[in-house]
Amino acid sequence: MSYDRTVRLDADFDTAVIAVRKALADQGFGILTEIDVKATLKAKLGHDMEDYLILGACNPPLAHQALEADRSIGLLLPCNVVVRRDGDTTLVQALDPGTMVTLTGLDTLKPVADDATARLDAALGALSA
């Protein structure tokens, strides 16, 4: 089962991060959390790795609808979006919102997942345009 939606960009990491933030904002997502995995692993373990950033993106109306359908859905929120270097390119990956429906088995989450998928696909599509 595929659980991601991914685009590959011919852009440097910092440029890609800026573009991702804008594309998500244009689709109504704010960034609630940001984890610099590269810096964290370096500081905690002395481990060097490629640029790797996890953005916790949230569209408040969609989050509200999902929480009304299932209070436990917070375990799958916010929508994680990863920006990471992969060789000479930058990958942008978003968790497929359909995973909410698959994991919970709740058909009431399908409209929320469909809306979130459309918005994330539009954001990812804007990056590769």
Side-chain angles (χ1 to χ4, degrees):
M1 172 179 106
S2 177
Y3 58 91
D4 66 302
R5 306 181 89 66
T6 301
V7 295
R8 183 177 299 275
L9 306 177
D10 288 322
D12 66 84
F13 181 78
D14 293 331
T15 300
V17 169
I18 291 167
V20 168
R21 290 179 188 279
K22 181 182 180 330
L24 289 170
D26 288 348
Q27 293 300 318
F29 290 93
I31 304 301
L32 298 180
T33 60
E34 182 174 321
I35 302 167
D36 183 337
V37 177
K38 176 183 179 178
T40 300
L41 293 183
K42 181 65 174 175
K44 302 290 183 183
L45 302 175
H47 177 73
D48 289 314
M49 68 177 291
E50 73 277 6
D51 292 320
Y52 196 115
L53 182 68
I54 302 171
L55 300 173
C58 178
N59 179 295
L62 292 178
H64 178 253
Q65 289 174 36
L67 287 164
E68 287 298 305
D70 179 14
R71 285 289 198 237
S72 295
I73 204 67
L75 293 165
L76 298 175
L77 297 178
C79 296
N80 280 330
V81 177
V82 170
V83 183
R84 65 183 177 94
R85 287 301 294 169
D86 185 42
D88 294 332
T89 61
T90 302
L91 286 181
V92 180
Q93 300 175 288
L95 181 67
D96 187 331
T99 304
M100 289 189 305
V101 180
T102 303
L103 289 177
T104 65
L106 296 174
D107 289 336
T108 55
L109 288 171
K110 188 165 179 5
V112 178
D114 289 346
D115 191 353
T117 297
R119 291 171 183 271
L120 285 173
D121 282 351
L124 293 173
L127 295 171
S128 42

